Amino acid sequence: YDVLSNSVSLSETHSDPTCSGSLDGSIDISMSGGIPPYSFSWIDSTSGLTYTTEDLINIGPGDYWCTVTDANGCSALPFQVIITEPDAISTNPILTNITCSGGADGGIALNATGGIPPLFIAWTGPNGFSSSFDILDSLEAGTYDVIITDTNNCFLPLSQFDLIEPL
């Protein structure tokens, strides 16, 4: 992305936050032309926050606008950088309880979405049960715990699901 106006030329590179809700995004701008020193005026039109540094670090998602002015008061046209974040990891679980006492016909369909694919699923449960699948079947009664992480190592905190059987 380059902007050229009044002899001040700009370019930018940016990185988006790694996880939903994280503040590890950044914008790096470079200038040429004009007369240093340069001044910087940033505004995140999403949050209303303003900045006066050349580069932005530890930022979240937003619609960032920057104007750079040189020592002679010449400015590059304002330019926009949109910082986005991945969707939060979430689930829409469907549980099937055990039909008969002592049976093993329960199930959990996790329906995990969000994050940066692929998602990594780690289940634990009764009697040493473990699995990495999104859909589980032939389960016995008990408490099943799951942790979900994505490619960026973002995670959904531990979730617990209880499958019950009739008395």
Side-chain angles (χ1 to χ4, degrees):
Y1 185 111
D2 291 318
V3 177
L4 179 63
S5 174
N6 297 324
S7 301
V8 178
S9 178
L10 305 174
S11 63
E12 67 87 21
T13 58
H14 67 272
S15 61
D16 293 325
T18 53
C19 302
S20 177
S22 66
L23 298 175
D24 60 353
S26 64
I27 303 172
D28 178 37
I29 61 173
S30 300
M31 290 75 50
S32 62
I35 306 296
Y38 302 102
S39 64
F40 308 91
S41 176
W42 287 95
I43 185 164
D44 174 5
S45 64
T46 305
S47 69
L49 294 174
T50 59
Y51 309 89
T52 57
T53 59
E54 176 179 339
D55 301 320
L56 301 183
I57 59 172
N58 300 323
I59 58 173
D63 188 4
Y64 295 85
W65 287 86
C66 182
T67 301
V68 178
T69 305
D70 75 1
N72 287 338
C74 297
S75 297
L77 295 172
F79 69 95
Q80 176 186 34
V81 180
I82 297 173
I83 301 293
T84 60
E85 67 182 349
D87 291 335
I89 298 170
S90 63
T91 63
N92 185 18
I94 299 171
L95 277 61
T96 304
N97 286 312
I98 290 71
T99 56
C100 298
S101 182
D105 62 347
I108 303 172
L110 196 54
N111 301 308
T113 60
I116 302 295
L119 296 178
F120 304 97
I121 299 169
W123 285 100
T124 58
N127 300 314
F129 175 86
S130 66
S131 177
S132 60
F133 294 108
D134 186 68
I135 298 174
L136 306 176
D137 58 18
S138 302
L139 299 177
E140 62 185 69
T143 299
Y144 293 83
D145 299 325
V146 64
I147 295 177
I148 305 168
T149 56
D150 72 2
T151 299
N152 286 347
N153 209 28
C154 306
F155 65 94
L156 179 67
L158 177 71
S159 297
Q160 286 190 331
F161 301 96
D162 291 318
L163 294 183
I164 58 173
E165 63 185 349
L167 297 177

